[in-house]
Amino acid sequence: MGHGGRILHFIDGRETPSADGRLFDNIAPATNEVVSEVARGGPAEVERAVAAARAALAGSWSGTTTEERAALLDRAADLIELRGEELARIESRDTGKTLAMASTVDIPRAIANFRFFAGAIRHEETGFHHMGSALNYTLRKPVGVVGLISPWNLPLYLLSWKTAPALAMGNAVVAKPSELTPGTASILAEILFEAGFPAGVFNVVHGFGPEAGQALVEHEDVLAISFTGGTGTGRRVGVAAAPLFKKLSLELGGKNPTIIFADAGFDAAVDSALRASFLNQGQICLCGSRLLVERPIHDRFVEKLVSLTKELVIGDPAAPDTFLGSLVSHGHRDKVESYVALAREEGGEVRCGGTRPDLPAPFDQGAFLTPAIITGLPAGCKTATEEIFGPVVTVHPFDDEAQALAMANGVDYGLSASLFTRDLDRAHRVAAALQTGLVWVNTWLLRDLRTPFGGVKGSGLGREGGKWSLDFFSETQNICIRLSEASE
Ligand code: TXE
């Protein structure tokens, strides 16, 4: 954090204001209070950050060994852990999410991301192809300066998910965190510098997407862009990056189905569906916002889900029993509320929620919305096919596997799906037929960081995780050595 409640850019190892001194307000959505001012960057700040990153690559950073970089990543993880409480508090304040979520999910995952990629490069193997008359081996080189653009829903979690592999492979980073949640990115920059990453290796430029984000994507010295955010924004990023032949990773939105067959373990399926619906106020790209339930259990399922949803505690994000904090902003709540209104127009029945809760000050000013369950909508309507990204889910009955699959696949997104059944054959069959990058069977959000993560269709391009991240953040070079004639 900058001095006097200011969050500044972090460029070349130093907190840096914008050249023109411009600032914008950072608002805590749970109370609608301005909690800090943030430097508002644009092309000039991106230019300075890219220059610092290039200088770092030209200096000692490019000579570091794998073991040195792994040790730096481990040290970063230790320092995040040391400042874990402070980071969780800031994450909760900037996003409106519960302190419990920030301190048990967001911050531990940021720590895990650094430890994981430290381990990944220590154990990494590169390719070797023997031809008889020649040997081929593959070198991995850093891409160079890479741009990381991250969203507001899991700010440090997702920024560190990109930063750790980018640094592990020896790149220099310019990060542009979401303007709604700038706090933890700046602390990460301090931490990485303190951990021993040289000045210029990790830079943060704050600001709005069309100014700072766009300038980063359009900068010709930024050779890769890793973006997580909305599908519309991802398309703009793709259009700007393509003519420059940048490496591009896009993790975009989702409209993920939770499919519950009548033979599923009922209580476990309801509990999992509840979490998938409303964890982080439904603001996770993996949230299961469409519940497809086999008709024989549909009514019982809805009844149970509604009664459990009504018990969820909403309010003060710091209170230990709170399950739902506020949405990320008042503007975002307006968008989510507009979908509840649309659902009514489309003929849906709002079975619970979708209202502003009556909370004591200062939370009466916050962007809270009670969790909503909507039934009676056709599966193809807008409410049931567009990403809402809030605590609003729709439930739809189905009669057989084919219909469930047609509904599940009948959207423009394809990030994840979860299905609940005790029939192993069906689990295999349905999972393979789902047009998504990830499928969970009898669970949700169970993540192994070695596995490929990403979506198809409007959910994005490329995969993150394990070797996929290492591939993205490196250029491979094949070296073919002709063997002497004697050994041919
Ligand atoms: O995200 P944006 P928004 C979805 C969700 C949400 C919608 C819009 O449906 O309602 O997206 O959210 C930067 N060039 N998800 O508008 O704009 C921006 O500053 C370069 C799903 O808040 O996509 C921020 O750092 N960068 C998602 C980042 O992009 C640009 C998580 C993401 O913001 C830019 C968040 C531009 N032209 C929202 N415009 C997920 N996949 O988890 C904006 N940005």
Side-chain angles (χ1 to χ4, degrees):
M1 173 106 37
H3 308 292
R6 287 203 172 157
I7 297 174
L8 301 178
H9 312 297
F10 195 91
I11 299 175
D12 204 17
R14 274 186 300 275
E15 287 187 289
T16 310
S18 283
D20 58 10
R22 284 202 302 171
L23 298 161
F24 64 95
D25 288 342
N26 178 26
I27 293 168
T31 57
N32 208 16
E33 286 160 345
V34 177
V35 289
S36 52
E37 291 179 311
V38 189
R40 178 169 168 177
E45 287 66 41
V46 167
E47 184 59 49
R48 290 169 72 184
V50 172
R54 279 172 58 100
L57 285 169
S60 64
W61 178 236
S62 61
T64 52
T65 63
T66 299
E67 181 47 42
E68 283 165 347
R69 291 197 302 277
L72 286 169
L73 293 170
D74 276 336
R75 174 118 178 87
D78 293 345
L79 292 175
I80 297 172
E81 201 162 33
L82 271 177
R83 292 178 75 173
E85 272 179 41
E86 175 196 3
L87 285 162
R89 236 182 10 258
I90 291 172
E91 206 71 301
S92 169
R93 183 201 67 193
D94 280 3
T95 58
K97 71 174 67 198
T98 64
L99 190 57
M101 170 87 186
S103 48
T104 61
V105 177
D106 292 71
I107 307 308
R109 176 58 189 277
I111 298 164
N113 287 338
F114 280 98
R115 295 218 169 107
F116 172 77
F117 282 106
I121 55 169
R122 284 192 176 107
H123 297 280
E124 196 217 351
E125 293 173 8
T126 54
F128 173 77
H129 300 88
H130 199 291
M131 292 175 74
S133 59
L135 312 173
N136 293 271
Y137 67 93
T138 306
L139 287 185
R140 275 187 194 279
K141 298 176 170 182
V143 180
V145 181
V146 299
L148 310 182
I149 301 178
S150 50
W152 44 259
N153 58 335
L154 298 161
L156 188 65
Y157 173 132
L158 290 174
L159 178 57
S160 57
W161 178 235
K162 300 179 186 302
T163 298
L167 297 179
M169 300 315 286
N171 300 282
V173 168
V174 178
K176 209 303 280 173
S178 169
E179 56 275 25
L180 294 172
T181 55
T184 51
S186 277
I187 295 182
L188 178 65
E190 279 173 27
I191 284 176
L192 293 175
F193 190 57
E194 190 189 336
F197 287 93
V201 168
F202 182 78
N203 307 278
V204 174
V205 175
H206 290 291
F208 296 100
E211 295 173 4
Q214 189 83 22
L216 187 58
V217 178
E218 288 174 356
H219 200 296
E220 61 178 15
D221 294 331
V222 176
L223 301 181
I225 294 286
S226 177
F227 171 87
T228 298
T231 295
T233 315
R235 187 170 287 120
R236 279 193 290 283
V237 168
V239 165
L244 299 164
F245 306 117
K246 293 188 186 214
K247 291 190 90 171
L248 194 57
S249 167
L250 301 173
E251 298 296 338
L252 310 177
K255 187 75 177 177
N256 311 306
T258 304
I259 309 169
I260 296 133
F261 288 95
D263 71 345
F266 186 82
D267 290 335
V270 182
D271 285 346
S272 191
L274 182 76
R275 245 168 63 79
S277 299
F278 302 126
L279 190 69
N280 207 42
Q281 298 70 246
Q283 302 168 133
I284 303 179
C285 52
L286 301 166
C287 274
S289 50
R290 294 186 293 147
L291 290 95
L292 314 179
V293 186
E294 201 167 2
R295 199 174 299 275
I297 61 162
H298 174 268
D299 292 353
R300 185 159 75 98
F301 184 91
V302 170
E303 204 175 299
K304 184 79 192 285
L305 189 69
V306 168
S307 88
L308 291 176
T309 300
K310 284 180 174 166
E311 285 169 20
L312 297 175
V313 178
I314 184 167
D316 180 359
D321 58 344
T322 304
F323 184 81
L324 289 126
S326 89
L327 302 196
V328 75
S329 69
H330 288 71
H332 187 55
R333 180 175 65 178
D334 291 344
K335 176 189 149 182
V336 176
E337 281 180 331
S338 77
Y339 273 102
V340 178
L342 176 68
R344 288 202 171 90
E345 281 168 33
E346 290 184 316
E349 186 186 345
V350 181
R351 305 290 285 263
C352 64
T355 56
R356 299 182 179 189
D358 195 9
L359 295 172
F363 306 111
D364 55 341
Q365 302 300 312
F368 293 87
L369 189 72
T370 57
I373 296 171
I374 300 167
T375 56
L377 284 170
C381 73
K382 282 176 154 230
T383 312
T385 55
E386 294 181 7
E387 187 178 45
I388 300 174
F389 218 64
V392 177
V393 298
T394 59
V395 193
H396 311 268
F398 68 84
D399 291 305
D400 57 30
E401 210 174 288
Q403 192 190 12
L405 271 171
M407 286 158 80
N409 290 334
V411 291
D412 293 337
Y413 295 101
L415 185 53
S416 70
S418 53
L419 66 102
F420 292 80
T421 178
R422 287 190 172 120
D423 179 337
L424 190 57
D425 285 339
R426 171 151 64 196
H428 282 300
R429 200 167 52 234
V430 174
L434 282 163
Q435 294 163 3
T436 59
L438 298 93
V439 178
W440 281 289
V441 177
N442 295 330
T443 186
W444 176 71
L445 202 59
L446 187 56
R447 293 272 296 118
D448 181 326
L449 303 187
R450 295 169 300 180
T451 59
F453 175 91
V456 300
K457 302 198 276 188
S459 294
L461 186 71
R463 296 291 182 273
E464 297 183 301
K467 79 179 187 66
W468 289 268
S469 293
L470 301 185
D471 280 345
F472 179 75
F473 287 112
S474 61
E475 288 289 358
T476 50
Q477 180 183 39
N478 187 66
I479 297 174
C480 175
I481 303 183
R482 176 96 151 79
L483 296 177
S484 70
E485 288 187 17
S487 53
E488 267 182 43

